Amino acid sequence: GNVINGDGCNSLCQVEVGYSCSGGTITTKDTCSTICGDAKRQEPSESCDDGNVINGDGCNSLCQVEVGYSCTGGTISTKDTCSTICGDARRLPTEICDDGNVINGDGCNSLCQVEVGYSCTGGTISTKDTCSTICGDAKRLPSEACDDGNLINGDGCNSLCSVEAGYSCTGGTISTKDTCQFLCGDARRQAPSEICDDGNVINGDGCSSDCTVEDGWICSGGTSTTPDTCTCELSLIHI
């Protein structure tokens, strides 16, 4: 019904590349439309064309870009390449995680892969993942005060990867676990490794700098919350 080029039927009444025309008779005109899936993106009716009419690969059977995808490179002679949009808060099948950003170091990296020492859960095609450190995996990450490779309470680093009262934990990195030991001199006697704790690390006052009772002294009263009081045995003889 016209001699306009670029609408599917050109000025010579020839079907243009990437189009299909049908319905024309001796009394009626043809209706022309783009051929979706022919690896030729015809704008504006096609927002993508990846060379097929399969849904779920980024460009659907109507040659429209699917949610969570970006399709680029398509022209009148070349097809589009489609890929998921990492960081859009939608976890698609090719993504291991998507936490709504492309920041490295928060559990889900800029390539939507789970980072070492993290677990990411909850992500769907419409919701983002929530990532958290894996406590007890022998890797101390920034949000953990310690990680000794287990979830046992009472060994210095508890099941929440927090340092327990009376302990000091050191040596942990992103690839190595912490070693925890009693904190001598903190006024808490932690049996059995501490024989005494008088609240300091001064030698010569009955309880030494390594929390053992010194010769000629008696230390008593210390608990996991209170310090020992040390008395010279010689003074007890004179009482």
Side-chain angles (χ1 to χ4, degrees):
N2 64 62
V3 288
I4 300 171
N5 291 318
D7 63 353
C9 185
N10 67 18
S11 59
L12 299 176
C13 286
Q14 302 297 310
V15 178
E16 295 176 300
V17 174
Y19 283 85
S20 172
C21 297
S22 60
T25 68
I26 194 171
T27 58
T28 58
K29 68 177 183 178
D30 280 286
T31 298
C32 299
S33 58
T34 57
I35 302 172
C36 180
D38 65 347
K40 300 175 179 71
R41 193 211 290 178
Q42 303 285 353
E43 295 179 321
S45 62
E46 295 180 334
S47 62
C48 61
D49 194 315
D50 61 353
N52 64 63
V53 287
I54 299 170
N55 291 318
D57 63 353
C59 185
N60 67 18
S61 59
L62 300 176
C63 283
Q64 302 301 307
V65 178
E66 295 176 297
V67 173
Y69 286 85
S70 172
C71 298
T72 58
T75 68
I76 194 172
S77 59
T78 59
K79 70 177 181 177
D80 281 282
T81 298
C82 300
S83 58
T84 56
I85 302 173
C86 181
D88 66 346
R90 298 179 177 90
R91 195 216 288 175
L92 298 179
T94 59
E95 298 174 326
I96 307 303
C97 60
D98 195 315
D99 59 354
N101 65 64
V102 288
I103 300 170
N104 291 319
D106 63 353
C108 185
N109 67 19
S110 59
L111 299 176
C112 283
Q113 305 293 311
V114 177
E115 295 176 296
V116 173
Y118 285 86
S119 172
C120 298
T121 58
T124 69
I125 194 171
S126 59
T127 58
K128 69 177 182 179
D129 281 283
T130 299
C131 300
S132 57
T133 55
I134 303 173
C135 181
D137 66 347
K139 300 175 179 72
R140 195 216 289 176
L141 299 180
S143 62
E144 298 174 325
C146 61
D147 195 315
D148 60 353
N150 65 64
L151 300 173
I152 300 171
N153 292 318
D155 63 353
C157 185
N158 66 20
S159 59
L160 299 176
C161 282
S162 296
V163 178
E164 296 177 296
Y167 285 85
S168 172
C169 298
T170 57
T173 69
I174 194 171
S175 59
T176 58
K177 68 177 181 177
D178 280 283
T179 298
C180 300
Q181 57 187 11
F182 293 119
L183 197 59
C184 181
D186 67 344
R188 298 180 176 90
R189 191 212 292 176
Q190 304 285 0
S193 65
E194 293 182 334
I195 308 304
C196 61
D197 195 316
D198 60 353
N200 64 65
V201 288
I202 300 170
N203 290 317
D205 64 352
C207 186
S208 70
S209 58
D210 60 0
C211 284
T212 57
V213 178
E214 296 175 299
D215 289 341
W217 292 79
I218 295 175
C219 298
S220 60
T223 69
S224 61
T225 58
T226 58
D228 280 283
T229 299
C230 297
T231 306
C232 179
E233 288 182 313
L234 201 58
S235 66
L236 293 174
I237 295 174
H238 292 295
I239 294 177

